[in-house]
Structure formats: C-alpha cells, structure tokens
C-alpha cells in the first residue's frame, strides 16, 4: 500500500482504527531489548523508523522517532520524545544525521521496504537495525497447527530475510532473536 490512511497509517493496517490501547499490550521484552541495544553498538543518536508507541526505545539514547500514524504517535509515553510524522521511504533528515537507525516490526508495513532500508542507511552513519519476523519460520510457531491460514497470510506480509539483507547492502549480520515464551494458562 503506497497511500496513507486517514490517521496517517502507512501500510495495510489502519492503526487509527485498530491501534487503541497498543501501548498497553505491546510491552517490550528485556531479552529482545538487549539484542537491539547490542546491535546499536555505541550509538548515541538513533532514528526509530515506524516507531509506534516506542516499545524498544532506550531512554539512555537520544532517539528521534518517525511514525506515520497519529493514533500511535498519541500513545507515546511522556518520558519519550514526540514522534515526527513521516514514512520510512522519505525520511525528513539529511545524510548521516544519526549514529544508527532502527525499526522494530514495521518493515512489513512499508510501501517499498527497499526504499525504506535505503533511507535508514542514508540517514545513519552506523548500523541499521531491523527487528522483523522471518516468514520462512512461521510454520515452526506452535499456533500454526491451529491457524495455518492466518499464519500463512501473515508470513506473506513480511519480506524474506535474504531480500532485507540484499536491500540493506554493505555488511549485514543476521541474528536470530529467541522469541519470548508465552504462558497462556490463566
């Protein structure tokens, strides 16, 4: 999808309609946070593309958040900076403006992920960190046995890891991030 929705959402999800309460239920996992922090290296300034409510933004860093959805920008906690209204494919910053760039679970919403990754590389002097889902591993998820059509549909939304690394260009490292275990017992 190349158009933005009424609240600015850019992708096939209308966060103005479905994003209410997102900041409440989308809480960061410390193990994932550690992997992101390590991948950012010694960065001090970071652009977070498709930042949402800021789940994985470190308070120890100077983060500039970019988020197209007004509903998601409105849910950012007071201790985080306000997000810039923008999309990955057209970041409103000069070349090498940041030490690093990051995105967490948003690349599948971009109208052109290659252009978005190019923009991340353009505005960052250092690493571009992409946390995403590997569509080739979706069938390994326990829920696949119960809802294969749903997970197959979701897997088709994510670019293949090889396509992401090719689009990033230069030196890339792929790190498998262990997914947190979920206790569904009540």
């Amino acid at each position: 999808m190349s158009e933005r929705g009424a609240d600015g959402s850019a992708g096939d999800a209308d966060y103005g309609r479905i994003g209410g309460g997102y900041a409440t239920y989308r809480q960061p996992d410390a193990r994932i946070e550690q992997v992101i922090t390590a991948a950012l290296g010694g960065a001090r300034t970071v652009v977070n593309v498709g930042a949402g409510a800021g789940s994985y933004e470190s308070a120890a860093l100077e983060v500039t958040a970019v988020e197209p959805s007004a509903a998601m920008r409105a849910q950012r906690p007071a201790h985080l900076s306000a997000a810039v209204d923008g999309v990955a494919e057209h970041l409103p910053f000069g070349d090498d403006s940041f030490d690093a760039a990051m995105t967490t679970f948003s690349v599948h919403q971009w109208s052109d992920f290659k252009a978005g990754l190019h923009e991340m590389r353009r505005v960052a002097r250092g690493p571009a960190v992409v946390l995403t889902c590997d569509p080739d591993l979706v069938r390994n998820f326990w829920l696949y046995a119960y809802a294969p059509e749903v997970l197959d549909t979701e897997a088709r939304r994510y670019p293949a890891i090889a396509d992401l690394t090719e689009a990033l260009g230069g030196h890339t490292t792929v790190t498998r991030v262990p997914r947190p275990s979920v206790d569904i017992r009540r």
Side-chain angles (χ1 to χ4, degrees):
M1 176 177 183
S2 60
E3 297 178 17
R4 291 178 70 179
D7 92 316
S9 294
D12 62 357
D14 178 358
Y15 286 100
R17 187 172 56 79
I18 67 170
Y22 189 89
T24 303
Y25 64 80
R26 180 67 173 99
Q27 296 297 310
D29 180 276
R31 295 164 292 187
I32 294 172
E33 201 163 26
Q34 288 173 349
V35 172
I36 293 169
T37 299
L40 290 172
R44 185 183 56 78
T45 60
V46 177
V47 61
N48 184 8
V49 182
S55 295
Y56 286 103
E57 290 179 20
S58 170
L61 302 174
E62 183 182 320
V63 178
T64 300
V66 177
E67 172 55 48
S69 167
M72 298 304 284
R73 289 192 309 270
Q75 293 182 60
R76 293 178 63 78
H79 72 278
L80 297 178
S81 64
V84 173
D85 180 6
V87 295
E89 300 84 353
H90 305 286
L91 295 176
F93 311 109
D95 295 356
D96 299 328
S97 295
F98 303 93
D99 295 332
M102 66 180 273
T103 185
T104 60
F105 293 108
S106 74
V107 71
H108 63 287
Q109 290 289 345
W110 303 352
S111 63
D112 181 346
F113 76 88
K114 292 176 182 178
L117 294 173
H118 176 77
E119 281 289 277
M120 286 177 66
R121 284 282 202 209
R122 181 185 67 76
V123 303
R125 293 179 289 278
V129 178
V130 178
L131 180 64
T132 188
C133 177
D134 184 341
D136 291 337
L137 298 179
V138 168
R139 287 176 184 85
N140 296 343
F141 187 48
W142 67 267
L143 189 58
Y144 189 80
Y146 301 96
E149 296 87 8
V150 171
L151 291 175
D152 282 341
T153 299
E154 188 66 10
R156 284 191 294 274
R157 297 175 70 224
Y158 287 89
I161 300 301
D163 293 339
L164 293 170
T165 59
E166 180 182 331
L168 279 166
H171 174 75
T172 57
T173 301
V174 176
T175 303
R176 189 169 182 180
V177 179
R179 71 176 178 260
S181 23
V182 177
D183 185 356
I184 58 175
R185 296 172 286 162
R186 300 261 181 222

